[in-house]
């Protein structure tokens, strides 16, 4: 069974940083591109970043470009998301996603003073 | 970015009756490899999204056959042949043919 378990969310002040992680199991991690998708409170879904199977290619939504960095450790089946210069509008549940077919339960990031 | 437009945004339905959701994209979703990466997701209250349909019409494992997808190019439809109580939630279309992948606004299905 595919499992994606996010961690690292929390309350942070504007301008602060957080590092999200996603532990993956139940599939061959290094064979799949991975994504972070976020959902602001009461809002829809937004893809924010993608990383290729070997980590060599990444892409970001304009809303986070230059502030967030996606990475992966295929030896540990882990996906990471370094978030810096956080803004109130980054407040959301962040989901780790395998392709579009498997989603974690999400971790909540709240940016507030 | 490709804009995905769903209609209706709210869909009151009666148990046992059919339901249909439309999704239109601002540009063709036919990928250069010939595939059309249009998916439908279901998000039940308090849960993570779950993919129901991939590449326009393919049902994911465990998805009841009352769910079906159709369409091509820029126009797509999700149909539920007979709505059941467990179908309550928000349905999203999403395209993965162009980066950034984008979602429709969501359609709230309620009994």
């Amino acid at each position: 069974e595919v499992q994606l378990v996010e961690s690292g969310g929390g309350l942070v002040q504007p301008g602060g940083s957080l590092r999200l992680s996603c532990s993956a199991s139940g599939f061959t991690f290094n064979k799949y591109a991975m994504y972070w998708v976020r959902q602001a409170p009461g809002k829809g879904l937004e893809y924010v970043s993608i990383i290729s199977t070997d980590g060599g290619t990444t892409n970001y939504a304009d809303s986070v470009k230059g502030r967030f960095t996606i990475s992966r450790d295929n030896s540990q089946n882990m996906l990471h998301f370094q978030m810096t210069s956080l803004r109130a509008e980054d407040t959301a549940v962040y989901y780790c996603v395998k392709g579009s077919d498997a989603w974690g339960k999400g971790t909540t990031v709240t940016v507030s003073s | 970015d490709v804009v995905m437009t769903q209609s209706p945004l709210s869909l009151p339905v009666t148990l046992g009756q059919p339901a249909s959701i439309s999704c239109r994209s601002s540009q063709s979703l036919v990928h250069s490899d010939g595939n059309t990466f249009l998916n439908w997701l279901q998000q039940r209250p308090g849960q993570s999204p779950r993919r129901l349909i991939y590449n326009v019409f393919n049902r994911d494992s465990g998805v009841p056959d009352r769910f079906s997808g159709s369409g091509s190019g820029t126009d797509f439809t999700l149909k539920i042949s007979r709505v059941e109580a467990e179908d309550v939630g928000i349905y999203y279309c999403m395209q993965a043919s162009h980066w950034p992948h984008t979602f429709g606004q969501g359609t709230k299905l309620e009994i």
Side-chain angles (χ1 to χ4, degrees):
Chain A
E1 179 192 3
V2 172
Q3 286 203 323
L4 299 167
V5 180
E6 302 93 338
S7 60
L11 174 64
V12 61
Q13 292 188 338
S17 300
L18 275 179
R19 188 185 193 223
L20 307 183
S21 295
C22 171
S23 176
S25 61
F27 65 102
T28 306
F29 183 70
N30 62 12
K31 292 193 180 301
Y32 291 89
M34 296 295 295
Y35 304 77
W36 288 99
V37 175
R38 70 183 180 184
Q39 186 170 33
K43 301 295 185 183
L45 300 166
E46 178 189 17
Y47 264 106
V48 290
S49 188
I50 178 177
I51 187 167
S52 61
T53 53
D54 66 356
T57 301
T58 59
N59 215 326
Y60 302 89
D62 286 346
S63 55
V64 307
K65 198 173 294 184
R67 300 187 297 124
F68 294 3
T69 304
I70 191 171
S71 62
R72 66 191 295 162
D73 182 346
N74 284 345
S75 68
Q76 298 291 321
N77 290 355
M78 294 290 293
L79 178 71
H80 302 291
F81 206 36
Q82 182 66 49
M83 311 165 68
T84 64
S85 303
L86 283 159
R87 307 167 179 165
E89 55 264 36
D90 296 318
T91 294
V93 175
Y94 285 74
Y95 295 103
C96 168
V97 185
K98 163 186 169 281
S100 61
D101 66 320
W103 295 63
K105 294 188 186 309
T107 186
T108 300
V109 172
T110 303
V111 184
S112 174
S113 54
Chain B
D1 297 0
V2 177
V3 178
M4 306 295 288
T5 304
Q6 290 182 228
S7 63
L9 299 185
S10 178
L11 184 55
V13 296
T14 302
L15 290 175
Q17 293 300 303
S20 179
I21 301 170
S22 171
C23 176
R24 290 186 174 174
S25 57
S26 60
Q27 60 185 270
S28 173
L29 298 186
V30 179
H31 191 269
S32 56
D33 67 6
N35 288 305
T36 300
F37 296 106
L38 185 284
N39 304 325
W40 289 96
L41 308 177
Q42 176 196 60
Q43 188 173 29
R44 290 172 171 154
Q47 295 187 11
S48 305
R50 162 202 183 196
R51 194 178 71 180
L52 298 176
I53 302 283
Y54 64 97
N55 295 7
V56 182
F57 55 80
N58 298 285
R59 268 191 309 276
D60 273 278
S61 176
V63 174
D65 61 7
R66 64 178 181 274
F67 290 93
S68 64
S70 63
S72 63
T74 61
D75 287 340
F76 304 93
T77 302
L78 175 70
K79 292 183 178 178
I80 309 174
S81 58
R82 296 173 305 281
V83 172
E84 297 190 5
E86 67 179 16
D87 300 336
V88 165
I90 301 177
Y91 291 79
Y92 296 91
C93 60
M94 65 146 290
Q95 65 83 20
S97 293
H98 308 282
W99 182 259
H101 301 168
T102 46
F103 297 88
Q105 317 97 300
T107 295
K108 187 173 185 178
L109 186 147
E110 45 201 358
I111 307 295

